[in-house]
Amino acid sequence: MDTSLTETRADLWSVLQQSPGAWRGKGINHENERFDAVLVARRLFGSGGLLMWFRATGEDSTVYHEEVALLGPEGGGGLVMTAANTNIPFVQRFEGPAPGATTLAVHHGDHSVDSGFRETIRLSIDKAGTLTVAFDWAMPGEAMAERSAVRLTYSGDAPPSEVPIF
């Protein structure tokens, strides 16, 4: 990996593109349940795109959330992500601004009104190289709030055998 996970100005996008192993950590979901999580990201072709897989598993081995996403730069300079997951019965399209040095966020739905489902997925990396993934969402009539988050560290080990796409 060319990018140091501990350098002060760690570029999250570069770190994700150059980290072929798994990220692992523990988090808490919207029902205050603890879970173990794993995230795997793979760079695609020369497009700058990433194919990502994420799974959150409860202490009793229940899979709370599993997601496959294609994330990358769009022609206009922002980010676009398309994701399918086990919690929503449709494929989501997210958009966001170009990633900052240590953060990126993509958004789904109209955040200016509370009449529909909205979601923001935020990824950030700190100076120690800890990756945080946070899911902010709201159902119709609800206020946006962080509902689930996990802190992951890069393990470098091979992705789990059940990863469907790698």
Side-chain angles (χ1 to χ4, degrees):
M1 195 175 347
D2 298 332
T3 302
S4 168
L5 294 178
T6 59
E7 75 180 48
T8 303
R9 294 175 312 228
D11 177 345
L12 174 60
W13 192 250
S14 295
V15 168
L16 288 173
Q17 287 187 325
Q18 297 175 33
S19 303
W23 294 77
R24 296 180 184 278
K26 296 187 178 295
I28 296 179
N29 70 14
H30 64 285
E31 294 182 357
N32 208 30
E33 298 166 315
R34 297 185 184 282
F35 62 84
D36 291 317
V38 60
L39 180 138
V40 178
R42 289 283 190 273
R43 184 170 48 180
L44 290 175
F45 318 114
S47 69
L50 289 172
L51 189 58
M52 298 190 326
W53 174 80
F54 174 83
R55 179 185 279 167
T57 306
E59 294 172 341
D60 65 354
S61 298
T62 299
V63 175
Y64 293 144
H65 183 81
E66 187 169 3
E67 184 161 331
V68 174
L70 175 60
L71 172 68
E74 74 174 345
L79 282 175
V80 65
M81 182 173 96
T82 302
N85 68 64
T86 56
N87 298 105
I88 297 175
F90 54 85
V91 173
Q92 289 179 275
R93 178 177 165 79
F94 292 83
E95 295 179 357
T102 60
T103 65
L104 65 87
V106 289
H107 314 281
H108 169 83
D110 185 348
H111 290 241
S112 67
V113 297
D114 70 355
S115 59
F117 176 76
R118 291 100 56 220
E119 183 175 18
T120 296
I121 299 175
R122 296 177 288 116
L123 292 92
S124 61
I125 194 163
D126 65 18
K127 292 178 184 179
T130 301
L131 175 65
T132 298
V133 180
F135 297 85
D136 304 348
W137 55 269
M139 297 301 284
E142 294 180 340
M144 286 289 293
E146 182 177 293
R147 310 285 181 177
S148 181
V150 60
R151 294 174 49 85
L152 304 157
T153 56
Y154 183 68
S155 69
D157 58 341
S161 61
E162 67 268 23
V163 177
I165 55 174
F166 296 103

